[in-house]
Amino acid sequence: MRVDPRQLLDLVVGDPQAERAVPPTGFTARLTLFTAAAMAFLAVFALALSMATGRLADRWSEELARTSTLRISAPADQAAAQLRAAITLLETTPGIAAARALTPDEQRSLLEPWFGPDLPLESLPIPQLVEIIEEGGGYDATGLRARLQAEVPGAVLDDHTRWREPLISAAGRLRSLGWFAILLIGAATAAMITLAAQSALAANAQVIRVMRLVGAEDGYIARAFVRRFTGRAFLGALGGTVIGMLAVALLPRADDIGGFLTDVGFRGAGWLWPLLVPPLAAVVAFFATRAAALRTLKEQS
Amino acid sequence: MSVSNGKDLRTLDLRYDCNLLQIWAKRAGNGGEFTVIELEDVAYSYGGAELFAQLNLSLAPGSFHFLTGPSGAGKTTLLKLCYGELLATSGQVRLFGEDAASLPRDGVAMVRRRIGVVHQDCQFLDHLPVSENIALPLKVAGREDETGNNLDDLMMWVGLKAQANQTPPQLSGGERQRAALARAVIMSPEVIIADEPTGNVDWEMSQRLLTLLVELNKMGKTVLIATHDLNLIRTAKNQVSARVLRLKDRRLQLAGAEL
Ligand SMILES: Nc1ncnc2c1ncn2[C@@H]1O[C@H](COP(=O)(O)OP(=O)(O)O)[C@@H](O)[C@H]1O
Ligand SMILES: [Mg+2]
């Protein structure tokens, strides 16, 4: 379909009287408004989901790739010695920037989601965790494991790859699903607006006949319908977007726990993305209605 | 009868009382180089038997024709062929020299702007006031700026000033026909085709509408009117040299002096 840029301009500044030729029909008007609002609401959520999973994947791949954990399970009397030995060993390993033993408080907060607060850590045989921060191209995990086995028998090295990779790929999958959902929402909007426009065109056969009789071109008649539907889709989508953004903003936050579900939402400039939904809905409605109108007018000749 | 300026109809002189006609008169007068509407060996059928066949008709610019014939003979159908709403099933229809069958879609729209049509069942946008309906051809053609005085004059002339803000369904049959005629002529089209324009109006108003058509014809506009009102035809013949065509038994004949 060829689109004259003048017609797009016309749509914005053009003859606002043209659409008076089409009587306002309550049913298709409400249908379009509702569809656009509902779809925009869903689109805002799909967008929030995509952005959250995107952030999650980024964080996992970035943070986790740069860190590893050493777990030392040793009898109480050897714990301090093994920890010292491990730290010394780690600090002299090329590719490791720093190694730090987690404090009892940090260890407790890691366990808190599972065991609740006030866990008597001291009386439990909890392994000591050491956070390893990498530098440059990282360290040679196989070599480090061999040396640890010799010098710190109670140590187990976890370089996170085992559980990082499936998480990242899951996050990536979730993110593409989010975008796919947005595409589907767009297509469904186009389909529903096409149906609404077709029903409006059918209901207004008499209007079309009169317009033809007095010498209106297809483009003029189509524009009357296109303006209506584009305007309604924009307004409906604006409403749906605002409600969707409010709902996202009001989602319960629990950043300290940092769970994924509580992270669904927009950050900073990310809040600008959902604002694209209403204009996009208008563009979808414009093309859907125009195609439907020109097709119907051609068939009715 | 609503005559808003209070003058007696019969003494009303179009040339002074209808500004619009004076303006149009200045514009008219393009010479008659070709036939505006020409039908050659035309046949039409709605799918069943042919309503007429081998029909020939040519309207010279500035001519005045009546089309009569029994109800169901196909007068309305013939008029629709003349303004491109229907396409002939065989033969050729030429509108302003162009084959109607091969006109592009927007070409049909352009032709309609040169032909003012009074449809048999009027055909309005029922949700808009009468005045907007009458001005619709100008609006559609992007010539809204010409609406102002033209519209007022015309509404006055067809006696619909008081009804300007009513919607078409609120009008009587006769008022609707007057509005349809006003809409047909507001663009000052080269051709005026009217299907039973006086079917529902009283004698006095039909005279008034006829006078409008005759005046337009005198300015050089081509007029084609389908009617079975023989009195109307007789009156017209006193004012203008009109030819009467009769559609009967699938043929179009020139009616003789019996009228
Ligand atoms: N849209 C249509 N479909 C089928 N038949 C039609 C249609 N319009 C008119 N006819 C038939 O064609 C014949 C001529 O109709 P019409 O042109 O309206 O005649 P007139 O105007 O002389 O009364 C009639 O028998 C009518 O029933
Ligand atoms: Mg008829």
Side-chain angles (χ1 to χ4, degrees):
Chain A
M1 186 177 56
R2 205 177 54 83
V3 181
D4 191 339
R6 260 189 341 226
Q7 282 172 341
L8 276 173
L9 187 71
D10 236 22
L11 190 75
V12 185
V13 296
D15 175 14
Q17 293 288 303
E19 68 174 63
R20 274 176 62 75
V22 183
T25 46
F27 173 66
T28 53
R30 282 196 299 273
L31 184 66
T32 313
L33 272 174
F34 172 74
T35 304
M39 290 301 180
F41 184 83
L42 294 177
V44 168
F45 269 91
L47 203 56
L49 180 76
S50 284
M51 301 195 86
T53 48
R55 270 198 308 272
L56 200 63
D58 286 350
R59 210 175 60 207
W60 281 342
S61 52
E62 233 174 72
E63 286 178 10
L64 299 181
R66 310 298 298 166
T67 62
S68 324
T69 314
L70 191 69
R71 197 176 75 223
I72 305 171
S73 314
D77 53 332
Q78 293 173 28
Q82 285 207 15
L83 177 59
R84 251 191 323 276
I87 299 268
T88 318
L89 192 152
L90 290 171
E91 280 175 344
T92 54
T93 303
I96 291 180
R100 187 180 66 85
L102 262 60
T103 65
D105 272 350
E106 282 173 321
Q107 302 225 71
R108 195 176 292 119
S109 79
L110 280 179
L111 291 171
E112 202 177 84
W114 312 100
F115 292 103
D118 305 325
L119 186 67
L121 210 57
E122 301 71 24
S123 62
L124 290 171
I126 301 287
Q128 172 65 49
L129 297 179
V130 177
E131 184 187 22
I132 302 170
I133 297 174
E134 298 169 26
E135 65 180 5
Y139 57 88
D140 166 22
T142 324
L144 182 60
R145 279 207 181 88
R147 287 169 61 202
L148 279 169
Q149 207 159 31
E151 297 181 28
V152 193
V156 176
L157 177 67
D158 180 0
D159 64 2
H160 298 168
T161 39
R162 197 165 30 84
W163 55 279
R164 191 178 77 215
E165 263 154 21
L167 275 183
I168 290 172
S169 88
R173 194 79 56 81
L174 212 52
R175 176 190 222 169
S176 357
L177 276 180
W179 286 113
F180 185 60
I182 290 173
L183 272 184
L184 280 184
I185 288 168
T189 310
M192 286 170 92
I193 289 179
T194 300
L195 286 179
Q198 269 170 354
S199 119
L201 285 157
N204 286 301
Q206 167 70 5
V207 168
I208 294 174
R209 213 162 24 238
V210 172
M211 301 285 276
R212 282 252 172 77
L213 189 69
V214 300
E217 294 162 32
D218 280 4
Y220 186 94
I221 303 173
R223 220 171 305 149
F225 288 91
V226 167
R227 281 185 66 95
R228 269 273 156 78
F229 280 89
T230 306
R232 280 176 200 153
F234 181 79
L235 283 182
L238 192 65
T241 301
V242 167
I243 297 173
M245 286 170 78
L246 277 178
V248 168
L250 294 178
L251 276 180
R253 290 255 164 261
D255 281 337
D256 42 337
I257 299 171
F260 164 69
L261 274 178
T262 57
D263 197 38
V264 171
F266 302 101
R267 290 280 161 77
W271 282 102
L272 296 178
W273 279 97
L275 295 182
L276 284 179
V277 170
L280 272 178
V283 168
V284 166
F286 175 85
F287 285 108
T289 317
R290 204 181 130 84
L294 292 182
R295 198 171 48 239
T296 308
L297 290 172
K298 217 159 264 166
E299 280 162 8
Q300 282 182 359
S301 61
Chain B
M1 164 92 0
S2 50
V3 184
S4 33
N5 59 8
K7 286 187 198 172
D8 182 345
L9 273 181
R10 270 147 298 202
T11 63
L12 197 66
D13 188 332
L14 270 180
R15 286 169 199 288
Y16 296 102
D17 286 301
C18 198
N19 231 341
L20 181 60
L21 293 180
Q22 288 176 7
I23 298 169
W24 286 350
K26 286 185 202 121
R27 272 202 222 136
N30 51 329
E33 319 87 26
F34 56 85
T35 40
V36 282
I37 293 176
E38 202 165 12
L39 278 66
E40 199 179 308
D41 288 336
V42 163
Y44 191 84
S45 95
Y46 282 105
E50 279 175 344
L51 278 181
F52 39 74
Q54 307 254 290
L55 188 143
N56 290 285
L57 169 69
S58 85
L59 302 184
S63 61
F64 199 117
H65 286 88
F66 284 105
L67 178 63
T68 62
S71 167
K75 299 183 293 297
T76 299
T77 308
L78 181 56
L79 294 189
K80 284 181 177 174
L81 289 170
C82 290
Y83 59 84
E85 181 168 333
L86 296 175
L87 290 179
T89 38
S90 76
Q92 201 186 44
V93 175
R94 278 187 296 278
L95 307 175
F96 303 103
E98 297 202 53
D99 182 3
S102 57
L103 276 176
R105 298 183 56 75
D106 285 347
V108 177
M110 291 308 146
V111 163
R112 296 276 175 84
R113 292 180 193 179
R114 298 171 71 178
I115 304 179
V117 177
V118 182
H119 211 275
Q120 184 164 21
D121 37 7
C122 297
Q123 308 263 20
F124 294 104
L125 297 181
D126 287 343
H127 62 290
L128 292 184
V130 173
S131 55
E132 276 190 55
N133 266 286
I134 292 176
L136 194 61
L138 287 172
K139 183 164 143 179
V140 157
R143 285 166 47 185
E144 266 177 307
D145 45 322
E146 295 171 36
T147 308
N149 286 338
N150 285 8
L151 183 61
D152 286 346
D153 273 353
L154 210 48
M155 301 275 294
M156 177 104 74
W157 183 247
V158 296
L160 287 176
K161 240 181 139 146
Q163 287 87 346
N165 293 320
Q166 283 179 289
T167 60
Q170 294 171 323
L171 300 188
S172 72
E175 287 167 336
R176 284 164 64 85
Q177 281 189 320
R178 278 138 61 190
L181 183 63
R183 184 183 63 188
V185 303
I186 195 161
M187 287 270 276
S188 182
E190 291 154 63
V191 183
I192 293 152
I193 294 181
D195 199 353
E196 318 261 7
T198 58
N200 286 312
V201 301
D202 56 52
W203 173 245
E204 208 165 5
M205 184 45 82
S206 78
Q207 292 306 295
R208 197 177 164 94
L209 296 184
L210 179 67
T211 311
L212 177 63
L213 289 167
V214 166
E215 286 302 326
L216 288 165
N217 176 250
K218 282 180 183 163
M219 293 172 192
K221 313 218 175 275
T222 314
V223 178
L224 174 60
I225 303 171
T227 182
H228 39 232
D229 183 349
L230 296 187
N231 280 329
L232 187 75
I233 298 178
R234 279 193 206 101
T235 326
K237 283 194 131 184
N238 294 332
Q239 301 174 29
V240 68
S241 67
R243 291 210 290 172
V244 182
L245 304 165
R246 193 170 165 75
L247 188 59
K248 201 185 172 193
D249 303 332
R250 306 173 72 226
R251 295 170 59 85
L252 193 61
Q253 301 159 329
L254 202 56
E258 77 267 24
L259 278 166

